[in-house]
Coordinates of all heavy atoms in Angstrom, one line a residue:
Chain A
R133 N -1.1 -20.0 7.0 CA 0.3 -20.1 7.6 C 1.4 -19.9 6.5 O 2.4 -19.2 6.7 CB 0.5 -21.3 8.4 CG -0.3 -21.3 9.7 CD 0.1 -22.3 10.7 NE -0.7 -22.2 11.9 CZ -0.5 -21.4 12.9 NH1 0.5 -20.5 12.8 NH2 -1.3 -21.3 13.9
K134 N 1.2 -20.5 5.4 CA 2.1 -20.4 4.3 C 2.2 -18.9 3.8 O 3.3 -18.4 3.6 CB 1.7 -21.4 3.1 CG 2.2 -21.0 1.7 CD 3.3 -21.9 1.4 CE 3.9 -21.7 0.0 NZ 4.1 -20.3 -0.6
M135 N 1.0 -18.4 3.6 CA 1.0 -17.0 3.1 C 1.6 -16.0 4.1 O 2.4 -15.1 3.8 CB -0.4 -16.5 2.8 CG -1.0 -17.2 1.5 SD -2.7 -17.1 1.4 CE -2.9 -15.3 1.1
L136 N 1.4 -16.1 5.4 CA 1.9 -15.3 6.4 C 3.4 -15.4 6.5 O 4.1 -14.5 6.7 CB 1.2 -15.6 7.8 CG -0.2 -15.2 7.9 CD1 -0.8 -15.8 9.2 CD2 -0.3 -13.6 8.0
S137 N 3.9 -16.6 6.2 CA 5.4 -16.8 6.3 C 6.0 -16.2 5.0 O 7.0 -15.6 5.1 CB 5.6 -18.3 6.5 OG 6.5 -18.8 5.5
D138 N 5.3 -16.3 3.9 CA 5.8 -15.6 2.6 C 5.9 -14.1 2.9 O 6.8 -13.4 2.3 CB 4.8 -15.9 1.5 CG 5.0 -17.2 0.9 OD1 5.9 -18.0 1.3 OD2 4.0 -17.7 0.1
L139 N 5.0 -13.6 3.7 CA 5.0 -12.2 3.9 C 5.8 -11.8 5.2 O 5.8 -10.6 5.6 CB 3.5 -11.7 4.1 CG 2.6 -11.7 2.8 CD1 1.2 -11.6 3.1 CD2 3.0 -10.6 1.9
S140 N 6.5 -12.7 5.7 CA 7.4 -12.5 6.9 C 6.7 -11.9 8.0 O 7.1 -11.0 8.7 CB 8.6 -11.6 6.5 OG 9.2 -12.0 5.3
I141 N 5.5 -12.5 8.3 CA 4.8 -12.0 9.5 C 4.8 -13.0 10.6 O 4.6 -14.2 10.4 CB 3.3 -11.7 9.1 CG1 3.2 -10.4 8.2 CG2 2.5 -11.5 10.3 CD1 1.9 -10.1 7.6
D142 N 5.3 -12.6 11.7 CA 5.5 -13.4 12.9 C 4.1 -13.7 13.5 O 3.4 -12.8 14.0 CB 6.4 -12.7 13.9 CG 6.5 -13.3 15.2 OD1 6.1 -14.6 15.3 OD2 7.0 -12.8 16.1
T143 N 3.7 -15.0 13.5 CA 2.3 -15.3 13.9 C 2.2 -15.3 15.5 O 1.1 -15.3 16.0 CB 1.9 -16.7 13.4 OG1 2.8 -17.6 13.9 CG2 1.8 -16.7 11.9
S144 N 3.4 -15.2 16.1 CA 3.2 -15.1 17.6 C 3.1 -13.6 18.1 O 2.9 -13.4 19.3 CB 4.5 -15.7 18.3 OG 5.6 -15.0 18.1
A145 N 3.2 -12.7 17.1 CA 3.1 -11.3 17.5 C 1.6 -10.9 17.9 O 0.7 -11.4 17.2 CB 3.6 -10.4 16.4
K146 N 1.4 -10.0 18.7 CA 0.1 -9.4 19.0 C -0.2 -8.4 17.9 O 0.7 -7.7 17.4 CB 0.2 -8.7 20.4 CG 0.0 -9.6 21.5 CD -0.1 -8.9 22.8 CE -0.3 -9.9 23.9 NZ -0.1 -9.3 25.3
L147 N -1.4 -8.3 17.6 CA -1.9 -7.5 16.5 C -1.5 -6.1 16.7 O -1.0 -5.4 15.8 CB -3.4 -7.6 16.3 CG -3.9 -7.5 14.9 CD1 -3.3 -8.4 13.9 CD2 -5.4 -7.6 14.9
K148 N -1.5 -5.6 18.0 CA -1.3 -4.1 18.2 C 0.2 -3.8 18.0 O 0.5 -2.7 17.8 CB -1.7 -3.8 19.6 CG -0.9 -4.4 20.7 CD -1.5 -3.8 22.1 CE -1.0 -4.7 23.2 NZ -1.8 -4.5 24.4
T149 N 1.1 -4.9 18.0 CA 2.5 -4.6 17.6 C 2.8 -4.4 16.2 O 3.9 -4.1 15.8 CB 3.4 -5.6 18.4 OG1 3.2 -6.8 17.7 CG2 3.1 -5.7 19.8
L150 N 1.9 -4.8 15.4 CA 2.1 -4.8 13.9 C 1.8 -3.4 13.4 O 1.0 -2.7 13.9 CB 1.2 -5.9 13.3 CG 1.4 -7.3 13.6 CD1 0.5 -8.1 12.8 CD2 2.8 -7.8 13.3
S151 N 2.5 -3.2 12.2 CA 2.2 -1.9 11.5 C 0.9 -2.0 10.9 O 0.3 -3.1 10.7 CB 3.3 -1.6 10.5 OG 3.2 -2.6 9.5
K152 N 0.4 -0.8 10.5 CA -0.9 -0.7 9.8 C -1.0 -1.7 8.6 O -1.9 -2.4 8.4 CB -1.2 0.7 9.4 CG -2.5 1.0 8.7 CD -2.7 2.5 8.5 CE -4.0 2.8 7.8 NZ -3.9 2.6 6.3
G153 N 0.1 -1.6 7.7 CA 0.2 -2.4 6.6 C 0.2 -3.9 6.9 O -0.5 -4.7 6.2
N154 N 0.9 -4.3 7.9 CA 1.0 -5.7 8.3 C -0.4 -6.2 8.9 O -0.7 -7.3 8.6 CB 2.2 -5.9 9.3 CG 3.4 -6.1 8.5 OD1 3.5 -6.3 7.3 ND2 4.5 -6.0 9.2
K155 N -1.0 -5.3 9.6 CA -2.4 -5.7 10.1 C -3.3 -6.0 8.9 O -4.0 -7.0 8.9 CB -3.0 -4.5 10.9 CG -2.7 -4.6 12.4 CD -3.4 -3.4 13.1 CE -2.5 -2.9 14.2 NZ -2.7 -1.5 14.5
E156 N -3.2 -5.1 7.9 CA -4.1 -5.3 6.7 C -3.7 -6.6 6.0 O -4.6 -7.3 5.5 CB -4.0 -4.1 5.8 CG -4.5 -2.9 6.3 CD -4.7 -1.7 5.3 OE1 -4.5 -2.0 4.1 OE2 -4.8 -0.6 5.8
K157 N -2.4 -6.9 5.9 CA -2.0 -8.2 5.3 C -2.6 -9.4 6.1 O -3.0 -10.3 5.4 CB -0.4 -8.3 5.3 CG 0.2 -7.3 4.2 CD 1.7 -7.5 4.3 CE 2.4 -6.2 3.8 NZ 3.9 -6.2 4.1
V158 N -2.5 -9.3 7.3 CA -3.0 -10.5 8.2 C -4.5 -10.7 7.9 O -4.9 -11.7 7.5 CB -2.8 -10.2 9.7 CG1 -3.7 -11.2 10.5 CG2 -1.4 -10.2 10.1
Q159 N -5.2 -9.6 7.9 CA -6.7 -9.7 7.6 C -7.0 -10.2 6.2 O -7.8 -11.1 6.0 CB -7.3 -8.3 7.8 CG -8.8 -8.4 7.6 CD -9.4 -7.1 8.3 OE1 -8.9 -6.6 9.3 NE2 -10.5 -6.7 7.8
L160 N -6.2 -9.8 5.2 CA -6.4 -10.2 3.9 C -6.1 -11.7 3.7 O -6.8 -12.5 3.1 CB -5.6 -9.4 2.9 CG -6.0 -9.8 1.5 CD1 -7.1 -9.0 1.0 CD2 -4.9 -9.6 0.5
V161 N -4.9 -12.1 4.4 CA -4.6 -13.5 4.3 C -5.7 -14.4 4.9 O -6.1 -15.4 4.3 CB -3.2 -13.8 5.1 CG1 -3.0 -15.2 5.4 CG2 -2.0 -13.2 4.3
L162 N -6.3 -14.0 6.0 CA -7.3 -14.8 6.7 C -8.5 -14.9 5.7 O -9.1 -16.0 5.6 CB -7.7 -14.2 8.0 CG -6.6 -14.3 9.1 CD1 -7.0 -13.5 10.3 CD2 -6.3 -15.7 9.4
V163 N -8.8 -13.8 5.1 CA -10.1 -13.8 4.2 C -9.8 -14.6 3.0 O -10.7 -15.3 2.6 CB -10.4 -12.2 3.9 CG1 -11.3 -12.2 2.7 CG2 -10.9 -11.5 5.1
M164 N -8.6 -14.5 2.4 CA -8.3 -15.2 1.1 C -8.1 -16.7 1.4 O -8.1 -17.5 0.5 CB -7.2 -14.6 0.5 CG -7.4 -13.3 -0.2 SD -8.9 -13.1 -1.1 CE -8.7 -14.2 -2.5
S165 N -7.8 -17.1 2.7 CA -7.6 -18.5 3.0 C -8.8 -19.4 3.1 O -8.8 -20.5 3.5 CB -6.7 -18.6 4.3 OG -5.5 -18.1 4.1
R166 N -10.0 -18.7 2.9 CA -11.3 -19.5 2.9 C -11.5 -19.9 1.6 O -11.2 -19.2 0.6 CB -12.4 -18.6 3.5 CG -12.3 -18.3 5.0 CD -13.5 -17.6 5.5 NE -14.7 -18.3 5.0 CZ -15.9 -17.7 5.0 NH1 -16.1 -16.4 5.4 NH2 -17.0 -18.3 4.5
R167 N -12.3 -21.0 1.4 CA -12.7 -21.5 0.1 C -14.1 -21.0 -0.1 O -15.0 -21.8 -0.1 CB -12.6 -23.0 -0.1 CG -11.3 -23.5 0.1 CD -10.5 -23.4 -1.2 NE -9.3 -22.6 -1.2 CZ -9.0 -21.5 -1.9 NH1 -9.9 -21.1 -2.8 NH2 -8.0 -20.8 -1.8
A168 N -14.3 -19.7 -0.2 CA -15.7 -19.2 -0.2 C -16.2 -19.1 -1.7 O -15.4 -19.5 -2.6 CB -15.7 -17.8 0.3
K169 N -17.4 -18.7 -1.9 CA -17.9 -18.6 -3.3 C -17.9 -17.2 -3.7 O -17.8 -16.8 -4.9 CB -19.5 -19.0 -3.3 CG -19.7 -20.5 -3.0 CD -19.1 -21.3 -4.2 CE -19.2 -22.7 -3.9 NZ -18.4 -23.6 -4.8
L170 N -18.0 -16.3 -2.8 CA -18.0 -14.8 -3.1 C -17.0 -14.1 -2.1 O -17.2 -14.2 -0.9 CB -19.4 -14.2 -2.9 CG -19.5 -12.8 -3.2 CD1 -19.1 -12.4 -4.6 CD2 -20.9 -12.3 -2.9
Y171 N -16.0 -13.5 -2.7 CA -15.0 -12.7 -1.9 C -15.3 -11.2 -2.1 O -15.5 -10.8 -3.2 CB -13.5 -13.0 -2.4 CG -13.1 -14.4 -2.2 CD1 -13.4 -15.4 -3.2 CD2 -12.5 -14.8 -1.1 CE1 -13.0 -16.7 -3.0 CE2 -12.1 -16.2 -0.9 CZ -12.3 -17.0 -1.8 OH -11.9 -18.4 -1.7
L172 N -15.5 -10.5 -1.1 CA -15.8 -9.1 -1.1 C -14.6 -8.4 -0.5 O -14.4 -8.5 0.7 CB -17.1 -8.8 -0.3 CG -18.3 -9.5 -0.7 CD1 -19.5 -9.2 0.3 CD2 -18.8 -9.2 -2.1
L173 N -13.9 -7.7 -1.3 CA -12.6 -7.0 -0.8 C -12.7 -5.6 -0.9 O -12.7 -5.1 -2.0 CB -11.4 -7.6 -1.7 CG -11.3 -9.1 -1.8 CD1 -10.1 -9.5 -2.7 CD2 -11.2 -9.8 -0.5
D174 N -12.8 -5.0 0.3 CA -13.0 -3.5 0.2 C -11.6 -2.9 0.4 O -11.1 -2.9 1.5 CB -14.0 -3.2 1.4 CG -14.5 -1.8 1.2 OD1 -14.1 -1.0 0.2 OD2 -15.5 -1.4 1.9
E175 N -11.1 -2.3 -0.6 CA -9.8 -1.6 -0.6 C -8.7 -2.7 0.0 O -8.0 -2.3 1.0 CB -9.8 -0.4 0.3 CG -10.5 0.8 -0.4 CD -9.7 1.4 -1.5 OE1 -8.5 1.0 -1.6 OE2 -10.3 2.2 -2.2
P176 N -8.4 -3.7 -0.7 CA -7.5 -4.7 -0.2 C -6.1 -4.3 -0.3 O -5.2 -4.8 0.4 CB -7.7 -5.9 -1.0 CG -8.3 -5.4 -2.4 CD -9.1 -4.2 -2.0
I177 N -5.7 -3.4 -1.2 CA -4.3 -3.0 -1.4 C -3.9 -1.6 -1.0 O -2.8 -1.2 -1.1 CB -3.8 -3.3 -2.8 CG1 -4.7 -2.7 -3.8 CG2 -3.7 -4.9 -3.0 CD1 -4.2 -2.7 -5.2
G178 N -4.9 -0.9 -0.4 CA -4.8 0.5 -0.2 C -3.5 0.8 0.8 O -2.8 1.7 0.4
G179 N -3.4 0.0 1.8 CA -2.4 0.4 2.8 C -1.1 -0.3 2.8 O -0.2 -0.2 3.7
V180 N -0.8 -1.2 1.8 CA 0.3 -2.1 1.8 C 1.3 -1.6 0.8 O 1.0 -1.0 -0.3 CB -0.1 -3.5 1.6 CG1 -1.0 -4.0 2.7 CG2 -0.6 -3.8 0.2
D181 N 2.6 -2.0 1.0 CA 3.6 -1.5 0.1 C 3.5 -2.2 -1.3 O 2.9 -3.2 -1.4 CB 5.0 -1.8 0.8 CG 5.2 -3.3 1.0 OD1 5.6 -4.0 0.0 OD2 5.1 -3.8 2.1
P182 N 4.3 -1.7 -2.3 CA 4.1 -2.2 -3.7 C 4.5 -3.6 -3.8 O 3.8 -4.4 -4.6 CB 5.0 -1.3 -4.5 CG 5.1 0.0 -3.7 CD 5.0 -0.4 -2.3
A183 N 5.5 -4.1 -3.0 CA 5.9 -5.5 -3.2 C 4.8 -6.4 -2.6 O 4.4 -7.4 -3.2 CB 7.2 -5.7 -2.5
A184 N 4.3 -6.1 -1.4 CA 3.2 -6.9 -0.9 C 1.9 -6.8 -1.8 O 1.2 -7.7 -1.8 CB 2.9 -6.4 0.5
R185 N 1.8 -5.7 -2.5 CA 0.7 -5.5 -3.4 C 0.7 -6.5 -4.4 O -0.3 -7.1 -4.8 CB 0.8 -4.1 -4.0 CG -0.5 -3.3 -4.2 CD -0.2 -2.0 -4.6 NE -0.2 -1.1 -3.4 CZ 0.1 0.3 -3.5 NH1 0.3 0.8 -4.6 NH2 0.1 0.9 -2.4
D186 N 1.9 -6.7 -5.1 CA 2.1 -7.7 -6.1 C 1.7 -9.1 -5.6 O 1.0 -9.9 -6.2 CB 3.5 -7.8 -6.6 CG 3.8 -6.7 -7.6 OD1 2.8 -6.1 -8.0 OD2 4.9 -6.5 -8.0
Y187 N 2.2 -9.4 -4.3 CA 1.9 -10.7 -3.7 C 0.4 -10.9 -3.5 O -0.1 -11.9 -3.8 CB 2.7 -10.8 -2.4 CG 2.4 -12.2 -1.7 CD1 3.3 -13.2 -2.0 CD2 1.5 -12.3 -0.8 CE1 3.0 -14.5 -1.4 CE2 1.2 -13.6 -0.2 CZ 2.1 -14.6 -0.5 OH 1.8 -15.9 0.0
I188 N -0.2 -9.9 -2.9 CA -1.7 -9.9 -2.7 C -2.5 -10.2 -3.9 O -3.4 -11.0 -4.0 CB -2.1 -8.7 -1.9 CG1 -1.6 -8.7 -0.5 CG2 -3.6 -8.5 -2.0 CD1 -1.7 -7.5 0.3
L189 N -2.1 -9.3 -5.0 CA -2.8 -9.5 -6.3 C -2.6 -11.0 -6.8 O -3.5 -11.5 -7.4 CB -2.3 -8.5 -7.3 CG -2.8 -7.1 -7.0 CD1 -2.2 -6.1 -7.9 CD2 -4.4 -6.9 -7.0
S190 N -1.4 -11.5 -6.6 CA -1.1 -12.8 -7.2 C -1.9 -13.8 -6.3 O -2.4 -14.9 -6.9 CB 0.3 -13.2 -7.3 OG 0.8 -13.7 -6.1
T191 N -2.1 -13.5 -5.0 CA -3.0 -14.3 -4.3 C -4.4 -14.4 -4.7 O -5.0 -15.5 -4.8 CB -2.9 -13.9 -2.7 OG1 -1.6 -13.8 -2.3 CG2 -3.7 -14.8 -1.9
I192 N -4.9 -13.2 -5.1 CA -6.2 -13.1 -5.5 C -6.3 -13.9 -6.9 O -7.4 -14.7 -7.1 CB -6.7 -11.6 -5.7 CG1 -6.7 -10.9 -4.4 CG2 -8.0 -11.5 -6.4 CD1 -6.9 -9.4 -4.4
I193 N -5.4 -13.8 -7.7 CA -5.4 -14.5 -9.0 C -5.4 -16.0 -8.7 O -6.1 -16.8 -9.4 CB -4.3 -14.1 -9.9 CG1 -4.3 -12.7 -10.3 CG2 -4.3 -15.0 -11.2 CD1 -3.0 -12.2 -10.9

Side-chain angles (χ1 to χ4, degrees):
Chain A
R133 290 198 178 275
K134 157 102 176 47
M135 286 166 67
L136 289 167
S137 125
D138 286 346
L139 290 164
S140 311
I141 289 171
D142 174 12
T143 58
S144 68
K146 280 187 180 166
L147 212 55
K148 67 177 168 200
T149 66
L150 298 179
S151 69
K152 180 172 179 281
N154 277 344
K155 269 183 215 150
E156 291 190 17
K157 286 179 209 168
V158 168
Q159 184 159 330
L160 187 84
V161 163
L162 294 173
V163 165
M164 293 313 294
S165 297
R166 287 187 51 199
R167 296 278 120 235
K169 293 292 172 195
L170 179 60
Y171 297 87
L172 305 173
L173 310 177
D174 203 351
E175 286 288 349
I177 54 172
V180 305
D181 63 81
R185 216 170 269 178
D186 277 353
Y187 181 85
I188 286 166
L189 289 175
S190 86
T191 304
I192 294 170
I193 299 165

